[in-house]
Amino acid sequence: MSLSHQQKVYLPKEARTKQFITAEIKVTDALLSQYPDYQTCYQSLSRLVFNLAEQHDLRNVHVITNDKLPVVRFHTEAYCFQTTEQILFFYNPAYHEAQNLFTQENYRARKLRIVFLATGESIRSNSASFHTRVREFLNQLMPKLPISDLKVKIRDHQHLSYDLFAKSKGYKETYGYKLRAIEPRYKARKCELPENVSSLTYVTVSLPLSRRLKQGLLPDSATDFTPLYQHLEDSFLKAAAGKQLTRLAMIANGLTPLVRNSKFEKLDSKTEVQMIGFDPNALEQQVICNWDADNLVEEAHFIIVAGTKDADDVGFGRFMNNVEAALKTFAADISVDPEREDLIIRFHQHISYQI
């Protein structure tokens, strides 16, 4: 195999791309003192945000003042669901547009979080332009706020998702991706980032714990699910080790894993979210396995995190080829049927910084 071929990963044409950016502004006593009550503050600030967003052609913008975590997924129809700790946005960037304020009566928010969902076509190739428009929006917004010493933290999230077994289901057409890191992509498009950027690249896979899988590993009426979880853990770690992948996690406790750069982020798990941290610069192996032998969950989550050395000048193509090979070995070991079952891979690229 040629070097150039190894540096690309060939994904199905049907792979979906997403991008969303969040801007987090700490809600201080000084900010709240400019308004008679919480709701007036949130309503006033959201109107300012929405009016300014129109001027910058930002068409899918939401303001969150109840401290819930935004989660973004693709769907052909637009939906928005709230749980105790999360707000789930389902949308198609090709044609869905919206503006919403999410608030809670008499609740003092820790953060004012603005969520910008990318819209239009060619989301990945236009990601730098979208980031630039959000920065221009924030540069105009901050001086309009009633106090001047507020800081804003920007998080840029980009995802590629696809079925690892798309080809087995007849989707033969593929497209070669180099999967360049965000910073050089943006620099090439004249979108300058500050020096204090934290970045993290990783892959997540959610494996439904099917009836077939459970019946093959558990006795009837089992109440101890250790054999199931231990087999999944052992198979996953062995397959990853075969491709020299060393930053790994298996989460099967009913919580949604949230991956952060542990060098920069404080980890704080909640009722619905399992925070897990990795340092991409560390050389030692990092493995996190969290499951409960007494609790049979609907799905298990597997995470493979890229290290600093996994990105060369070309991109993460070689890393993703190793990830795909490891996951195919893992799937074969647990008898996933590639023609009938999906194994959805999500390739995540995140950056964050404060301005």
Side-chain angles (χ1 to χ4, degrees):
M1 184 182 293
S2 68
L3 179 62
S4 61
H5 189 79
Q6 292 175 358
Q7 291 172 331
K8 287 185 179 181
V9 59
Y10 288 83
L11 307 184
K13 183 182 178 182
E14 292 75 20
R16 294 176 177 141
T17 59
K18 295 188 294 294
Q19 181 185 16
F20 70 98
I21 298 174
T22 62
E24 300 173 356
I25 302 170
K26 186 176 180 180
V27 177
T28 63
D29 292 339
L31 177 62
L32 291 173
S33 69
Q34 305 300 308
Y35 303 92
D37 53 55
Y38 299 155
Q39 292 305 114
T40 303
C41 173
Y42 305 150
Q43 293 285 351
S44 176
L45 293 176
S46 65
R47 285 194 296 269
L48 176 60
V49 166
F50 296 146
N51 290 336
L52 196 58
E54 293 281 354
Q55 299 174 30
H56 290 269
D57 196 32
L58 297 166
R59 303 183 180 185
N60 205 324
V61 180
H62 307 269
V63 176
I64 300 175
T65 63
N66 55 14
D67 291 323
K68 294 185 180 182
L69 179 73
V71 177
V72 180
R73 293 287 184 264
F74 176 90
H75 203 282
T76 53
E77 298 184 44
Y79 295 104
C80 182
F81 301 106
Q82 292 194 62
T83 67
T84 302
E85 296 177 352
Q86 301 174 75
I87 301 178
L88 292 87
F89 297 96
F90 294 86
Y91 86 117
N92 186 329
Y95 48 79
H96 287 144
E97 302 174 2
Q99 290 182 344
N100 286 299
L101 168 63
F102 298 92
T103 188
Q104 182 177 329
E105 189 174 358
N106 297 322
Y107 177 80
R108 173 172 173 158
R110 292 183 292 107
K111 300 175 183 176
L112 175 76
R113 183 181 277 122
I114 309 170
V115 182
F116 306 87
L117 305 183
T119 57
E121 306 288 344
S122 303
I123 297 298
R124 187 173 178 85
S125 60
N126 290 324
S127 59
S129 173
F130 180 60
H131 191 100
T132 297
R133 282 189 287 125
V134 170
R135 279 291 301 270
E136 291 172 347
F137 163 92
L138 292 170
N139 289 339
Q140 288 194 21
L141 173 69
M142 300 309 287
K144 295 179 183 293
L145 298 179
I147 58 176
S148 60
D149 62 343
L150 294 172
K151 300 291 185 180
V152 57
K153 184 160 190 177
I154 298 173
R155 300 181 190 269
D156 190 331
H157 307 255
Q158 298 177 33
H159 304 162
L160 264 170
S161 58
Y162 60 98
D163 180 10
L164 180 63
F165 299 122
K167 188 175 291 187
S168 299
K169 299 179 179 68
Y171 301 102
K172 304 294 185 181
E173 192 171 353
T174 61
Y175 185 85
Y177 286 84
K178 293 180 181 179
L179 300 179
R180 296 179 68 200
I182 291 178
E183 293 95 324
R185 276 197 284 130
Y186 281 15
K187 186 175 183 179
R189 291 168 172 79
K190 311 302 181 185
C191 175
E192 297 295 332
L193 297 172
E195 294 182 358
N196 62 328
V197 173
S198 167
S199 62
L200 194 64
T201 299
Y202 60 95
V203 172
T204 63
V205 174
S206 297
L207 175 71
L209 300 187
S210 65
R211 181 180 180 184
R212 175 199 54 77
L213 185 60
K214 289 181 285 191
Q215 286 180 335
L217 294 169
L218 295 173
D220 293 339
S221 304
T223 57
D224 179 2
F225 307 112
T226 298
L228 170 63
Y229 293 139
Q230 194 65 61
H231 180 69
L232 293 176
E233 178 184 323
D234 293 344
S235 296
F236 174 62
L237 296 183
K238 181 180 178 182
K243 288 297 176 179
Q244 294 77 52
L245 301 167
T246 60
R247 298 168 183 85
L248 310 166
M250 171 184 165
I251 305 298
N253 56 9
L255 303 182
T256 301
L258 187 64
V259 186
R260 290 288 185 257
N261 188 323
S262 60
K263 184 177 179 180
F264 296 95
E265 299 280 355
K266 181 181 178 181
L267 304 182
D268 183 21
S269 297
K270 299 183 178 181
T271 305
E272 298 177 355
V273 177
Q274 173 82 57
M275 298 283 285
I276 55 176
F278 292 87
D279 182 354
N281 296 302
L283 298 179
E284 66 272 11
Q285 185 182 44
Q286 302 171 61
V287 176
I288 300 170
C289 293
N290 199 324
W291 44 265
D292 182 356
D294 298 324
N295 180 22
L296 182 59
V297 297
E298 294 181 0
E299 60 182 1
H301 304 278
F302 299 89
I303 298 97
I304 303 174
V305 178
T308 303
K309 294 183 178 180
D310 287 316
D312 52 28
D313 293 336
V314 177
F316 288 96
R318 186 190 297 272
F319 166 75
M320 278 303 294
N321 281 320
N322 286 333
V323 167
E324 284 199 354
L327 290 175
K328 287 177 180 177
T329 299
F330 171 55
D333 191 52
I334 61 174
S335 302
V336 172
D337 185 343
E339 294 184 2
R340 293 178 174 81
E341 297 180 74
D342 294 343
L343 198 63
I344 303 300
I345 291 180
R346 289 188 173 90
F347 174 74
H348 301 248
Q349 288 180 285
H350 294 180
I351 61 169
S352 63
Y353 59 91
Q354 185 169 285
I355 58 173

